[in-house]
Amino acid sequence: MMKNTVKLLTAALLLSTSSAYAADCKAPKAAADMSVEDLSTLYECLRPSLLEGYQKKENELAMAYTDWKAASSAPQAPGMHSGQYLMTYVNDEGYDAYTQYATSDVAMPVGTQIAKEAFTIKANGSVKKGPLLFMEKVGMDAAPDTGGWKYSGLKPKGKKLKVDEKGFCHACHQAWPGQDYLGYPVQKVRISAN
Ligand code: HEC
């Protein structure tokens, strides 16, 4: 009984501090004026609360991806994912191949898993959490309509995102056939393995 109360209290405390923490993470200037360093600082502040949300439902990939390596040095400036800031992580299987950022004849190994965190910066500097998106290379037999990739995602509080893999995700990603359908982070934040 006592134990449970303590547990509940701890959980409540954790929840309240972490949401306040997210609220404390404000952009110091207009989104367009944020340097890579500004974005790194903001991201450091934001990451614990992003993670807490993504891992709320203990989704397997959400639990695993914190062990993967970053492919970008800071959340990149708004890209095609509707003006969001994005941070990319790749598992060991795919890291070396991904971080070549090659533009032709790319064939990512089956077993590659990639995660992309997202958030948006609003005009008043406040930060809104975005979805965590995944691409998993499962091979052509398993995913013949989507170039051998399985697409999925989680909402900011860890619930599964309903995705139209072929009609939405891959419909856009198929713009890069030579890159094995990868979009890559923008140049200035790419981390290269070699
Ligand atoms: C309108 C185009 C578009 C759509 C739709 C789209 N993406 Fe992307 N995606 C991109 C671009 C561009 C990049 C790389 C640059 C960036 O992140 O802005 C990317 C990158 C990614 C990455 C990192 C791996 C990489 O390609 O470098 C993942 C994971 C990802 N997207 C998952 C998804 C999922 C899951 C969906 C569907 C829910 C989806 N994307 C829908 C354009 C799109």
Side-chain angles (χ1 to χ4, degrees):
M1 170 68 187
M2 184 61 195
K3 231 182 182 177
N4 273 338
T5 317
V6 170
K7 249 190 198 164
L8 277 175
L9 274 174
T10 319
L13 265 176
L14 276 174
L15 279 176
S16 59
T17 45
S18 71
S19 54
Y21 193 34
D24 284 347
C25 304
K26 281 206 157 204
K29 48 188 93 155
D33 300 330
M34 297 273 285
S35 66
V36 168
E37 289 72 31
D38 294 332
L39 286 165
S40 305
T41 309
L42 176 66
Y43 179 66
E44 254 170 60
C45 176
L46 186 66
R47 182 108 203 281
S49 118
L50 267 183
L51 271 185
E52 197 228 83
Y54 293 147
Q55 295 184 331
K56 215 162 236 170
K57 304 279 173 198
E58 297 188 7
N59 170 275
E60 209 176 307
L61 287 174
M63 302 310 286
Y65 91 100
T66 49
D67 290 336
W68 306 350
K69 278 185 275 184
S72 28
S73 54
Q76 62 187 93
M80 284 161 86
H81 279 268
S82 41
Q84 298 178 81
Y85 286 79
L86 308 157
M87 188 69 189
T88 306
Y89 293 88
V90 186
N91 73 351
D92 280 347
E93 251 87 2
Y95 194 78
D96 287 349
Y98 185 89
T99 52
Q100 310 277 333
Y101 310 104
T103 52
S104 58
D105 302 322
V106 177
M108 295 297 293
V110 169
T112 296
Q113 295 175 319
I114 308 170
K116 187 176 276 293
E117 301 170 336
F119 63 89
T120 41
I121 301 174
K122 296 204 246 169
N124 67 0
S126 70
V127 174
K128 189 164 177 270
K129 299 179 201 175
L132 177 65
L133 298 183
F134 297 108
M135 286 174 74
E136 295 169 79
K137 190 70 187 269
V138 292
M140 282 310 280
D141 287 344
D145 297 334
T146 47
W149 289 99
K150 179 178 180 348
Y151 294 84
S152 63
L154 298 174
K155 293 182 192 176
K157 287 185 183 160
K159 285 199 186 136
K160 275 226 166 89
L161 202 68
K162 280 199 190 110
V163 303
D164 177 355
E165 292 188 61
K166 188 178 172 209
F168 180 64
C169 309
H170 196 64
C172 187
H173 277 257
Q174 71 183 357
W176 307 287
Q179 299 176 184
D180 202 356
Y181 311 109
L182 297 169
Y184 302 140
V186 296
Q187 298 270 1
K188 66 173 174 183
V189 297
R190 286 180 191 178
I191 293 176
S192 290
N194 359 214

